[in-house]
Amino acid sequence: MKLRGVTVDTGFLVALERSKQRAIELAALASARSIRVTLPVAVLAEWWRGGKRQAHYLRAFNVEHMTDRLAKSAGEAIAAVPGATVVDAIVMASAAQREDVVYTSDFDDLSRLRDQHFRGVRVLGV
């Protein structure tokens, strides 16, 4: 299976900030292989809290803006998966539209969304 792209969540950004080895390796691999790494704008909002984040990390990502289609897909997931959060649903909807792999530190919640709504999305932990 050829990796088309990667979508990341807030936990991935936090892991990168904290210099977690797996996150650093995944970011380096994506860069070396010119793999597109997408950061949904909702993830940026969740991560940016307090404005004390390191903006230079953002250069490595394609920030994906919210569209009606993405919002509706995430909303359908929230309706289908009790307890799902808006940001997690957006991450999964974002990845599903491109057949991306999702890298997350929130493996259980994103896997639940995958199992119950986004069956084609591969979820990997960092």
Side-chain angles (χ1 to χ4, degrees):
M1 176 175 113
K2 185 177 179 193
L3 183 61
R4 293 180 182 198
V6 172
T7 299
V8 298
D9 74 347
T10 308
F12 180 85
L13 291 175
V14 171
L16 198 57
E17 268 188 326
R18 293 180 180 167
S19 299
K20 299 292 183 182
Q21 190 64 32
R22 179 120 168 106
I24 292 169
E25 289 171 357
L26 293 169
L29 179 66
S31 177
R33 294 191 180 172
S34 298
I35 296 170
R36 179 195 64 251
V37 181
T38 300
L39 175 72
V41 74
V43 170
L44 176 58
E46 185 175 59
W47 175 73
W48 197 261
R49 295 182 220 187
K52 297 182 182 182
R53 299 298 188 178
Q54 298 178 28
H56 71 276
Y57 285 114
L58 299 178
R59 288 184 287 227
F61 305 105
N62 294 314
V63 176
E64 177 184 35
H65 297 281
M66 184 62 68
T67 64
D68 291 354
R69 179 178 168 206
L70 182 58
K72 289 173 183 175
S73 179
E76 290 168 3
I78 292 167
V81 183
T85 67
V86 171
V87 175
D88 287 351
I90 290 169
V91 168
M92 292 299 286
S94 172
Q97 67 188 358
R98 288 180 303 281
E99 299 179 3
D100 279 0
V101 170
V102 172
Y103 284 115
T104 180
S105 65
D106 192 8
F107 185 80
D108 292 339
D109 287 345
L110 281 112
S111 291
R112 203 164 50 86
L113 276 159
R114 177 203 57 216
D115 294 346
Q116 296 180 36
H117 194 74
F118 296 107
R119 289 183 179 84
V121 176
R122 188 169 172 204
V123 177
L124 300 175
V126 292

